[in-house]
């Protein structure tokens, strides 16, 4: 399982990026590629466990899962809303994921020193 989770994340990230980029060309399969990729990313983040147990790390993990759920919610918006509303959830997911990807290693390093 430890080797499967990073593979899910890598494949999902590439598929999500490819789906978002090809959406510009109006290719009908691009939202589905994005949805499968975002589901893989969400599964990888959901099953990744931290070695440390602190309030801040648990809060950051919940925020990371929220970002993954927003990423998953972007897929149906790409299909059913024919405007650019999906960009809002994609942007929110990206900001949350970026924040947690910076803060989680800092908090884990702080816990390691204690």
């Amino acid at each position: 399982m430890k080797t499967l989770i990073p593979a899910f994340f890598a494949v999902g990230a590439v598929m999500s990026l490819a789906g978002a980029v090809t959406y510009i060309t109006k290719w009908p399969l691009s939202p589905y590629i994005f949805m499968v990729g975002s589901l893989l990313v969400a599964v990888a983040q959901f099953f990744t466990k931290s070695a440390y147990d602190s309030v801040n790390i648990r809060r950051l993990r919940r925020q990371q899962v929220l970002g993954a759920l927003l990423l998953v919610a972007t897929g149906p918006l790409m299909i059913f809303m024919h405007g650019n509303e999906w960009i809002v959830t994609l942007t929110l997911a990206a900001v949350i994921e970026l924040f947690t990807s910076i803060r989680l290693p800092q908090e884990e390093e702080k816990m390691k020193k204690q």
Side-chain angles (χ1 to χ4, degrees):
M1 190 72 165
K2 287 186 178 190
T3 59
L4 207 56
I5 289 175
F8 276 3
F9 187 82
V11 170
V14 169
M15 287 179 71
S16 295
L17 181 62
V21 168
T22 58
Y23 186 80
I24 297 169
T25 64
K26 304 290 185 200
W27 187 41
L29 294 180
S30 61
Y32 301 103
I33 292 172
F34 181 85
M35 272 199 305
V36 170
S38 65
L39 281 172
L40 287 174
V41 168
V43 165
Q45 287 185 346
F46 185 74
F47 285 111
T48 301
K49 300 295 178 195
S50 178
Y52 304 103
D53 188 39
S54 82
V55 175
N56 285 338
I57 291 176
R58 284 194 310 258
R59 176 185 54 86
L60 288 167
R61 292 283 304 135
R62 282 192 303 265
Q63 288 176 356
Q64 193 174 42
V65 169
L66 173 67
L69 291 176
L70 283 171
L71 196 62
V72 169
T74 302
L77 289 177
M78 290 172 92
I79 295 171
F80 298 117
M81 303 283 238
H82 297 290
N84 289 333
E85 295 88 0
W86 60 275
I87 295 174
V88 174
T89 57
L90 181 63
T91 303
L92 285 172
V95 168
I96 291 171
E97 292 290 335
L98 178 65
F99 173 74
T100 57
S101 70
I102 293 170
R103 289 290 299 145
L104 262 173
Q106 290 175 349
E107 287 296 321
E108 288 175 348
E109 186 65 33
K110 196 185 323 181
M111 290 298 294
K112 188 189 294 185
K113 289 181 181 178
Q114 288 182 354

